[in-house]
Amino acid sequence: MEAQGRGGNVAVVVGLVLLLCVLLQADVVESAVFNVGDRSGWSFNTNSWPAGKRFKAGDVLVFKYDATAHDVVAVSAAGYKSCAKPAKGAKVYKSGADRVTLARGTNYFICSIPGHCQAGMKIAVTAA
C-alpha cells in the first residue's frame, strides 16, 4: 500500500510540472509583434500610431526605417515631451529593423535626428 502512495505522489508532481510548462508556454505564445507605423514603418507623424491598440509587457515593437536617415532612441517621459537630445547612456537603435520588447508601463521612443521628433517621429506606448 505504501508503494502505491508514493506512485500517486510522483504522478501529482509530474502533473504539476506539466501544468507549469503549459502555463509558461502560453505566456510566451501570447506576446504579440507590432510593426510600428504599420506599412509606412517608423516615419514622420507616427506619434498617433499606438492609438486604439492594446499592448502588454513582453510584446515586441518592430521599427522599420531607412537607417541612413533615422534612428530609434528609448527615452524618458521628459525626453519624449521635449524631443531633447537623449541622455548619455540612452539605448539607441540604428539597424533599420530594430526589435524592442516592451516593459510594463509607458515606453517612450523618438528619432534623435534634429527636427524629426518635432515632426511627429515619436511614440509613447503603454504596456499593461
Side-chain angles (χ1 to χ4, degrees):
M1 190 78 162
E2 188 175 323
Q4 191 176 20
R6 285 187 196 147
N9 289 341
V10 170
V12 169
V13 170
V14 169
L16 289 174
V17 168
L18 288 174
L19 178 62
L20 181 61
C21 288
V22 168
L23 291 174
L24 290 175
Q25 181 68 22
D27 194 35
V28 171
V29 172
E30 289 182 25
S31 294
V33 176
F34 294 90
N35 289 314
V36 174
D38 298 319
R39 289 184 181 178
S40 300
W42 177 234
S43 185
F44 298 106
N45 298 313
T46 310
N47 54 327
S48 62
W49 171 80
K53 295 176 179 65
R54 290 183 175 206
F55 303 95
K56 62 183 184 323
D59 285 350
V60 175
L61 298 183
V62 178
F63 292 85
K64 293 182 182 178
Y65 57 94
D66 178 354
T68 64
H70 305 294
D71 63 12
V72 178
V73 183
V75 296
S76 66
Y80 175 83
K81 184 175 180 180
S82 67
C83 286
K85 182 178 177 182
K88 190 173 185 175
K91 181 63 180 166
V92 180
Y93 301 90
K94 297 180 178 184
S95 76
D98 306 307
R99 296 174 65 86
V100 180
T101 302
L102 293 173
R104 187 175 311 278
T106 304
N107 299 255
Y108 299 95
F109 304 95
I110 66 169
C111 178
S112 69
I113 305 302
H116 291 198
C117 178
Q118 293 84 347
M121 207 165 172
K122 63 180 186 174
I123 58 170
V125 177
T126 302

